[in-house]
Short mmCIF file of all heavy atoms in Angstrom, two decimals:
data_model
loop_
_atom_site.label_atom_id
_atom_site.label_comp_id
_atom_site.label_asym_id
_atom_site.label_seq_id
_atom_site.Cartn_x
_atom_site.Cartn_y
_atom_site.Cartn_z
N GLY A 1 19.41 21.16 18.70
CA GLY A 1 19.17 22.25 17.74
C GLY A 1 18.86 21.85 16.37
O GLY A 1 18.67 22.66 15.51
N ARG A 2 18.68 20.57 16.03
CA ARG A 2 18.35 20.11 14.74
C ARG A 2 17.20 19.04 14.71
O ARG A 2 17.43 17.87 14.51
CB ARG A 2 19.55 19.46 14.04
CG ARG A 2 20.66 20.48 13.78
CD ARG A 2 21.80 19.85 12.96
NE ARG A 2 22.81 20.76 12.68
CZ ARG A 2 23.95 20.45 11.95
NH1 ARG A 2 24.08 19.22 11.53
NH2 ARG A 2 24.87 21.36 11.75
N PRO A 3 16.02 19.55 15.10
CA PRO A 3 14.90 18.56 15.15
C PRO A 3 14.57 18.09 13.79
O PRO A 3 14.52 18.83 12.86
CB PRO A 3 13.73 19.44 15.78
CG PRO A 3 14.06 20.81 15.40
CD PRO A 3 15.52 20.90 15.37
N PRO A 4 14.22 16.80 13.61
CA PRO A 4 13.82 16.27 12.35
C PRO A 4 12.40 16.70 11.99
O PRO A 4 11.62 17.09 12.90
CB PRO A 4 13.83 14.73 12.59
CG PRO A 4 13.66 14.54 14.04
CD PRO A 4 14.29 15.74 14.65
N SER A 5 12.08 16.68 10.69
CA SER A 5 10.78 17.06 10.23
C SER A 5 9.73 16.05 10.66
O SER A 5 10.03 14.90 11.00
CB SER A 5 10.80 17.24 8.76
OG SER A 5 10.96 15.92 8.10
N VAL A 6 8.47 16.50 10.72
CA VAL A 6 7.39 15.67 11.14
C VAL A 6 7.22 14.45 10.15
O VAL A 6 7.01 13.34 10.57
CB VAL A 6 6.04 16.45 11.17
CG1 VAL A 6 4.85 15.54 11.38
CG2 VAL A 6 6.13 17.46 12.34
N PRO A 7 7.33 14.69 8.83
CA PRO A 7 7.19 13.44 7.94
C PRO A 7 8.28 12.43 8.21
O PRO A 7 8.01 11.25 8.11
CB PRO A 7 7.38 14.08 6.53
CG PRO A 7 6.87 15.45 6.68
CD PRO A 7 7.36 15.94 8.07
N VAL A 8 9.49 12.87 8.52
CA VAL A 8 10.57 11.95 8.79
C VAL A 8 10.22 11.20 10.11
O VAL A 8 10.43 9.95 10.21
CB VAL A 8 11.93 12.65 8.94
CG1 VAL A 8 12.99 11.72 9.54
CG2 VAL A 8 12.35 13.15 7.59
N LEU A 9 9.76 11.87 11.18
CA LEU A 9 9.33 11.17 12.39
C LEU A 9 8.22 10.29 12.19
O LEU A 9 8.17 9.20 12.77
CB LEU A 9 9.00 12.32 13.41
CG LEU A 9 10.19 13.11 13.94
CD1 LEU A 9 9.69 14.28 14.83
CD2 LEU A 9 11.14 12.25 14.74
N ALA A 10 7.28 10.64 11.33
CA ALA A 10 6.16 9.79 11.01
C ALA A 10 6.64 8.53 10.33
O ALA A 10 6.16 7.39 10.65
CB ALA A 10 5.20 10.51 10.11
N ALA A 11 7.64 8.63 9.41
CA ALA A 11 8.17 7.48 8.78
C ALA A 11 8.87 6.56 9.71
O ALA A 11 8.70 5.33 9.74
CB ALA A 11 9.16 7.92 7.71
N LEU A 12 9.53 7.18 10.73
CA LEU A 12 10.22 6.39 11.77
C LEU A 12 9.20 5.62 12.62
O LEU A 12 9.33 4.40 12.88
CB LEU A 12 11.09 7.32 12.62
CG LEU A 12 11.68 6.68 13.88
CD1 LEU A 12 12.72 5.60 13.44
CD2 LEU A 12 12.36 7.72 14.70
N LEU A 13 8.13 6.35 13.03
CA LEU A 13 7.12 5.70 13.88
C LEU A 13 6.43 4.52 13.17
O LEU A 13 6.28 3.44 13.71
CB LEU A 13 6.05 6.68 14.28
CG LEU A 13 4.85 6.16 15.01
CD1 LEU A 13 5.33 5.62 16.41
CD2 LEU A 13 3.82 7.26 15.28
N ILE A 14 6.02 4.76 11.91
CA ILE A 14 5.22 3.76 11.20
C ILE A 14 6.09 2.53 10.84
O ILE A 14 5.61 1.39 10.86
CB ILE A 14 4.54 4.34 9.92
CG1 ILE A 14 3.60 5.43 10.32
CG2 ILE A 14 3.86 3.28 9.15
CD1 ILE A 14 2.54 5.06 11.36
N THR A 15 7.37 2.75 10.60
CA THR A 15 8.21 1.60 10.26
C THR A 15 8.58 0.79 11.52
O THR A 15 8.99 -0.39 11.41
CB THR A 15 9.47 2.04 9.47
OG1 THR A 15 10.16 3.05 10.24
CG2 THR A 15 9.15 2.57 8.17
N LEU A 16 8.50 1.38 12.64
CA LEU A 16 8.89 0.71 13.91
C LEU A 16 7.70 -0.01 14.54
O LEU A 16 7.98 -1.01 15.20
CB LEU A 16 9.57 1.70 14.86
CG LEU A 16 10.93 2.33 14.40
CD1 LEU A 16 11.49 3.13 15.57
CD2 LEU A 16 11.87 1.21 14.03
N ILE A 17 6.52 0.56 14.44
CA ILE A 17 5.41 -0.14 15.14
C ILE A 17 5.10 -1.37 14.25
O ILE A 17 5.39 -1.46 13.11
CB ILE A 17 4.13 0.84 15.23
CG1 ILE A 17 3.66 1.22 13.88
CG2 ILE A 17 4.46 1.98 16.12
CD1 ILE A 17 2.37 2.03 13.94
N PRO A 18 4.48 -2.36 14.91
CA PRO A 18 4.29 -3.68 14.25
C PRO A 18 3.11 -3.65 13.19
O PRO A 18 2.12 -4.30 13.34
CB PRO A 18 3.94 -4.63 15.37
CG PRO A 18 3.30 -3.82 16.46
CD PRO A 18 3.99 -2.40 16.31
N THR A 19 3.33 -2.87 12.10
CA THR A 19 2.33 -2.77 11.07
C THR A 19 2.12 -4.02 10.36
O THR A 19 1.02 -4.33 9.85
CB THR A 19 2.63 -1.67 10.10
OG1 THR A 19 4.00 -1.84 9.64
CG2 THR A 19 2.55 -0.28 10.71
N THR A 20 3.16 -4.86 10.18
CA THR A 20 3.02 -6.16 9.43
C THR A 20 2.05 -7.07 10.02
O THR A 20 1.07 -7.45 9.41
CB THR A 20 4.38 -6.81 9.31
OG1 THR A 20 5.33 -5.91 8.77
CG2 THR A 20 4.30 -8.02 8.46
N ILE A 21 2.15 -7.39 11.32
CA ILE A 21 1.26 -8.31 11.93
C ILE A 21 -0.09 -7.60 12.18
O ILE A 21 -1.18 -8.18 12.13
CB ILE A 21 1.81 -8.85 13.31
CG1 ILE A 21 0.88 -9.91 13.87
CG2 ILE A 21 2.07 -7.75 14.26
CD1 ILE A 21 0.68 -11.07 12.96
N GLY A 22 -0.07 -6.27 12.45
CA GLY A 22 -1.32 -5.48 12.60
C GLY A 22 -2.20 -5.52 11.36
O GLY A 22 -3.41 -5.68 11.45
N GLY A 23 -1.52 -5.47 10.23
CA GLY A 23 -2.22 -5.55 8.95
C GLY A 23 -2.71 -6.94 8.62
O GLY A 23 -3.71 -7.06 7.84
N LEU A 24 -2.09 -7.95 9.13
CA LEU A 24 -2.44 -9.30 8.75
C LEU A 24 -3.20 -10.08 9.76
O LEU A 24 -3.76 -11.18 9.51
CB LEU A 24 -1.16 -10.06 8.46
CG LEU A 24 -0.31 -9.62 7.25
CD1 LEU A 24 1.00 -10.34 7.20
CD2 LEU A 24 -1.08 -9.72 5.91
N LEU A 25 -3.37 -9.50 10.94
CA LEU A 25 -4.01 -10.27 12.07
C LEU A 25 -5.39 -10.75 11.73
O LEU A 25 -5.74 -11.89 11.96
CB LEU A 25 -3.97 -9.39 13.31
CG LEU A 25 -4.59 -10.04 14.62
CD1 LEU A 25 -3.83 -11.38 14.94
CD2 LEU A 25 -4.50 -9.13 15.77
N SER A 26 -6.24 -9.77 11.26
CA SER A 26 -7.61 -10.15 10.93
C SER A 26 -7.66 -11.14 9.83
O SER A 26 -8.46 -12.12 9.86
CB SER A 26 -8.42 -8.86 10.53
OG SER A 26 -8.54 -8.03 11.59
N ALA A 27 -6.78 -11.07 8.81
CA ALA A 27 -6.84 -11.99 7.64
C ALA A 27 -6.46 -13.37 8.18
O ALA A 27 -7.04 -14.32 7.72
CB ALA A 27 -5.81 -11.55 6.67
N ILE A 28 -5.53 -13.46 9.20
CA ILE A 28 -5.14 -14.81 9.66
C ILE A 28 -6.32 -15.49 10.37
O ILE A 28 -6.60 -16.66 10.13
CB ILE A 28 -3.96 -14.62 10.67
CG1 ILE A 28 -2.73 -14.16 9.95
CG2 ILE A 28 -3.69 -16.03 11.43
CD1 ILE A 28 -1.60 -13.74 10.90
N GLY A 29 -7.08 -14.71 11.14
CA GLY A 29 -8.24 -15.29 11.85
C GLY A 29 -9.29 -15.75 10.88
O GLY A 29 -9.89 -16.83 11.09
N ILE A 30 -9.68 -14.82 9.97
CA ILE A 30 -10.70 -15.16 9.03
C ILE A 30 -10.33 -16.39 8.20
O ILE A 30 -11.13 -17.25 7.90
CB ILE A 30 -11.01 -14.02 8.12
CG1 ILE A 30 -11.51 -12.78 8.99
CG2 ILE A 30 -11.99 -14.29 6.99
CD1 ILE A 30 -11.63 -11.46 8.22
N ALA A 31 -9.08 -16.39 7.74
CA ALA A 31 -8.59 -17.53 6.94
C ALA A 31 -8.63 -18.90 7.70
O ALA A 31 -8.88 -19.93 7.12
CB ALA A 31 -7.17 -17.28 6.43
N GLY A 32 -8.39 -18.79 9.02
CA GLY A 32 -8.44 -20.03 9.85
C GLY A 32 -9.87 -20.59 9.79
O GLY A 32 -10.05 -21.85 9.67
N MET A 33 -10.93 -19.75 9.89
CA MET A 33 -12.29 -20.19 9.84
C MET A 33 -12.57 -20.76 8.49
O MET A 33 -13.25 -21.81 8.31
CB MET A 33 -13.24 -19.07 10.16
CG MET A 33 -13.06 -18.52 11.59
SD MET A 33 -13.86 -19.45 12.79
CE MET A 33 -15.56 -19.07 12.54
#
């Protein structure tokens, strides 16, 4: 009976998915070359 708001759920999703490595993956490969 107390569903969380969409922004709160969005915050939960984005903080749990691997954004750190997702954001850095391309940079790691380019930097290696």
Side-chain angles (χ1 to χ4, degrees):
R2 295 186 178 180
S5 67
V6 172
V8 170
L9 290 172
L12 175 63
L13 174 64
I14 299 307
T15 54
L16 293 185
I17 63 177
T19 49
T20 304
I21 186 61
L24 297 172
L25 182 58
S26 293
I28 295 169
I30 296 171
M33 298 281 285

